[in-house]
Amino acid sequence: MLYENSLVSDLFAAVVCCGVIFAFLLLWQVTAKCGVDQKLNRKLVHISIGLVFMLCWPLFSAGYRGAILAAITPGVNIIRMLLIGSGIWKDEATVKSMSRYGNYRELLKGPLYYAITVTLACVVYWRTSPIGIAALCNLCAGDGLADVVGRRLGRKKLPYNRNKSVAGSVAMATAGFLSSVGYMYYFSYFGYIQEGWGMILRFLVVSLASALVESLPISTELDDNLTVSLTSIFIGSLIF
């Protein structure tokens, strides 16, 4: 019956998607309370949310309405970041799971940029553009694992940025690229895009460029959630 009425089907998909995403957010809030390292917990949020959100995209219809209804979930998160980050809404669990130093105002930077990127990638690129795949995979998997690996294996620092490591940059490029290819095949299974070696090579270029920009000092100053997203979208727009 749901598939006979596309609007009802999309609304049902939106409810399911929202429930899945907020279940993950609740999970990371619980792990933060249970004493999981704050930096690691923050990166688990960073890696998982956008990637899980993309997994839900096939639940929606192909048209613009499907994209808008899918974007409600990260759109709500934009509002949450604004309310919590401005101090209007007190939510210590969210602050602890998403901030570096436990300051609620941090949510107005990286976490807000993250939510905006996920929302815009959904609305603008939806399921048929590899640009959206590249942007979210490099932001979520790439940037997220760069920090996790860099903190544990990053003894060798980059000569032009002592705050970044060779291991972290390699991990970012690798994770961003492999996850992009994985989602390429995932969406091609549903017929949204056509996979091929040419697209794989382009994903590699975007991931390398994103890892390079993330390794620069400017990413620390501006916030790498912003610079990585803009780089992926810019380079992707040039080559796809």
Side-chain angles (χ1 to χ4, degrees):
M1 182 181 68
L2 291 176
Y3 288 102
E4 293 175 359
N5 188 320
S6 60
L7 175 58
V8 174
S9 181
D10 279 338
L11 290 173
F12 179 75
V15 172
V16 171
C17 181
C18 186
V20 170
I21 294 302
F22 281 96
F24 268 85
L25 288 173
L26 180 60
L27 169 65
W28 302 132
Q29 289 178 10
V30 171
T31 57
K33 290 180 179 178
C34 291
V36 173
D37 178 75
Q38 187 170 349
K39 292 184 176 65
L40 175 60
N41 201 83
R42 177 175 170 270
K43 286 304 174 180
L44 291 174
V45 175
H46 187 104
I47 293 168
S48 63
I49 297 303
L51 297 181
V52 171
F53 176 57
M54 276 203 294
L55 288 176
C56 296
W57 287 5
L59 295 174
F60 296 86
S61 62
Y64 196 64
R65 184 184 63 211
I68 293 297
L69 288 175
I72 288 176
T73 298
V76 168
N77 220 30
I78 292 176
I79 297 173
R80 286 181 69 242
M81 295 304 101
L82 289 172
L83 292 176
I84 298 172
S86 62
I88 296 175
W89 180 6
K90 305 296 183 182
D91 189 340
E92 292 301 322
T94 296
V95 172
K96 189 172 183 179
S97 66
M98 292 188 180
S99 65
R100 281 188 174 93
Y101 306 110
N103 187 336
Y104 66 90
R105 294 198 176 275
E106 292 179 59
L107 272 62
L108 295 177
K109 295 182 180 179
L112 178 61
Y113 300 151
Y114 181 100
I116 291 173
T117 298
V118 174
T119 303
L120 291 180
C122 177
V123 173
V124 176
Y125 299 109
W126 200 209
R127 302 180 302 203
T128 58
S129 173
I131 300 173
I133 296 174
L136 292 189
C137 286
N138 284 291
L139 171 64
C140 301
D143 184 47
L145 281 175
D147 185 81
V148 174
V149 172
R151 289 183 184 279
R152 286 156 179 77
L153 304 175
R155 289 182 292 274
K156 186 175 181 180
K157 303 299 182 181
L158 295 171
Y160 53 88
N161 187 355
R162 307 305 295 178
N163 293 320
K164 301 289 183 177
S165 68
V166 174
S169 293
V170 171
M172 176 171 179
T174 303
F177 170 64
L178 292 179
S179 59
S180 296
V181 173
Y183 275 91
M184 176 194 73
Y185 282 109
Y186 177 66
F187 286 133
S188 69
Y189 174 80
F190 293 97
Y192 303 145
I193 61 175
Q194 183 64 48
E195 82 278 6
W197 285 106
M199 185 175 292
I200 291 174
L201 291 175
R202 290 179 176 88
F203 278 132
L204 178 59
V205 171
V206 175
S207 294
L208 290 173
S210 297
L212 174 61
V213 170
E214 192 272 344
S215 72
L216 299 175
I218 189 175
S219 287
T220 303
E221 296 173 8
L222 292 179
D223 193 284
D224 49 15
N225 283 356
L226 180 62
T227 57
V228 168
S229 300
L230 292 177
T231 300
S232 297
I233 292 171
F234 176 70
I235 299 298
S237 297
L238 293 178
I239 65 176
F240 283 115

